[in-house]
Amino acid sequence: MGDYCIGVDLGGTNLRIAAVDSDSKLLEKLTLGAEVSRGRDFVITEMCKAIESLRTKYQSSGALLGIGIGVPGFIDMVAGMVMDSPNLPDWKSYPVRDEIERRLSTKVILENDANSAAMGEKWLGAGRQFEHMAMYTLGTGVGGGLIFNGSLWHGMTGMAGELGHFNVYADGHPCGCGSRGCLEQYASATAVVRMAREAIARGESTELEKLSHDEGQFTSRSIYNLAVQGEPAAKKVFENVGRALGIGVGSMVNALNLPIYVIGGGVSSAWDAFAPAMFEEMKFRSSIYALTSPDRVGHEKGTIVTRAMLGSDAGLYGAARLPMLLGFSQTETGRQ
Ligand SMILES: [Zn+2]
């Protein structure tokens, strides 16, 4: 093996850490309970300990080029800080990057988790043959990431690509961000469960109602299973997911005319339940999509909207990729 990077994916339940070499070979993956509730300092200490153990193990094989850390929330890339994160309240306005760099004496890049996932799919997944792409991650919330010319588009401060807060219904359901009708309120796992509850409240489904009696079993996956069995109200929930995605992705096609839009995260495994409504809506909302859809111009030239390939590892691989790209750009600059 050659030089390598360490990627960190800090989720709501797990803290995952992977050492990946520059040929994309996974050297080792660690999964620790994130125990976010024990506070920022506990999580950072556990993370640094695990990184040190990997560094010690692989120190004779190659150089550690840097560490990429994907975290949920709004990131100020310049300051290396989490500006706001519902999952990590005590991380707000704390110099995370500088603190971890100080502890480990290694270059650290702090990145939004959905941006990291976009980079992972660009490097090794559905977007690997494309230089420009957009990614949506449909999880507890909806995240997004934009890649232009092979690099993440950060906007002015690092907060670009929040595709989950793209408005799809002007006066729709209230969103945690303070707005209403964001895509996240119709295409996340949380939204699937809420929309199923709304169907129950309207008296539309005894099947969903029965399912809801077991709180632990009432999940986007079990609602999807009902949809696959043909239960009309459950099918309708996923058609709503597809319609909202069609409005969101269609608007992005209108704005950016990118060659590929990748849809990942847990809810993307319900693809067959929401994709038909999504494609139908995209053709309606975006004449650019209607003109460039693969069934009209062929797969090679068409606008691709497709499922992600790396599953829950996208963010981990993407985070590990970030210091490598920095390394390349520094090398290039050095040569000039
Ligand atoms: Zn929102």
Side-chain angles (χ1 to χ4, degrees), residues 140-203:
T140 310
V142 173
L146 297 169
I147 289 177
F148 300 148
N149 297 311
S151 300
L152 279 164
W153 174 254
H154 285 118
M156 184 172 69
T157 57
M159 299 186 206
E162 284 293 340
L163 308 183
H165 298 288
F166 206 98
N167 190 277
V168 292
Y169 297 113
D171 299 311
H173 196 268
C175 183
C177 74
S179 181
R180 278 181 173 273
C182 296
L183 177 60
E184 177 164 294
Q185 296 306 318
Y186 299 90
S188 60
T190 317
V192 167
V193 172
R194 188 201 77 238
M195 291 189 289
R197 286 196 197 286
E198 288 168 355
I200 295 167
R202 291 192 299 266

Side-chain angles (χ1 to χ4, degrees), residues 44-97:
I44 290 176
T45 301
E46 290 297 296
M47 184 193 300
C48 289
K49 267 197 259 173
I51 291 169
E52 278 296 6
S53 74
L54 287 175
R55 179 153 69 176
T56 307
K57 190 163 171 183
Y58 295 104
Q59 64 182 353
S60 59
S61 327
L64 175 60
L65 297 175
I67 298 161
I69 304 175
V71 297
F74 295 104
I75 310 295
D76 184 330
M77 294 288 293
V78 180
M81 287 190 195
V82 179
M83 299 312 287
D84 199 11
S85 172
N87 295 346
L88 306 168
D90 62 340
W91 290 55
K92 203 167 154 179
S93 301
Y94 173 81
V96 181
R97 181 193 62 206

Side-chain angles (χ1 to χ4, degrees), residues 74-242:
F74 295 104
I75 310 295
D76 184 330
M77 294 288 293
V78 180
M81 287 190 195
V82 179
M83 299 312 287
D84 199 11
S85 172
N87 295 346
L88 306 168
D90 62 340
W91 290 55
K92 203 167 154 179
S93 301
Y94 173 81
V96 181
R97 181 193 62 206
D98 292 353
E99 174 60 21
I100 298 172
E101 277 187 347
R102 187 186 66 75
R103 291 197 198 188
L104 297 170
S105 307
T106 306
K107 180 78 192 161
V108 172
I109 300 171
L110 192 68
E111 183 57 89
N112 170 269
D113 57 351
N115 280 359
S116 299
M119 181 47 75
E121 287 290 333
K122 194 271 165 275
W123 186 28
L124 301 170
R128 64 192 181 283
Q129 289 165 352
F130 297 87
E131 285 304 294
H132 318 291
M133 67 172 252
M135 173 147 182
Y136 293 79
T137 52
L138 316 181
T140 310
V142 173
L146 297 169
I147 289 177
F148 300 148
N149 297 311
S151 300
L152 279 164
W153 174 254
H154 285 118
M156 184 172 69
T157 57
M159 299 186 206
E162 284 293 340
L163 308 183
H165 298 288
F166 206 98
N167 190 277
V168 292
Y169 297 113
D171 299 311
H173 196 268
C175 183
C177 74
S179 181
R180 278 181 173 273
C182 296
L183 177 60
E184 177 164 294
Q185 296 306 318
Y186 299 90
S188 60
T190 317
V192 167
V193 172
R194 188 201 77 238
M195 291 189 289
R197 286 196 197 286
E198 288 168 355
I200 295 167
R202 291 192 299 266
E204 288 174 6
S205 170
T206 49
E207 291 287 318
L208 280 173
E209 212 257 319
K210 254 189 272 166
L211 191 66
S212 72
H213 290 167
D214 187 348
E215 196 64 35
Q217 287 300 309
F218 199 55
T219 62
S220 58
R221 174 154 294 280
S222 62
I223 296 162
Y224 167 69
N225 289 339
L226 270 188
V228 170
Q229 290 161 29
E231 204 287 320
K235 278 173 73 177
K236 183 87 188 304
V237 165
F238 283 95
E239 282 163 21
N240 290 338
V241 171

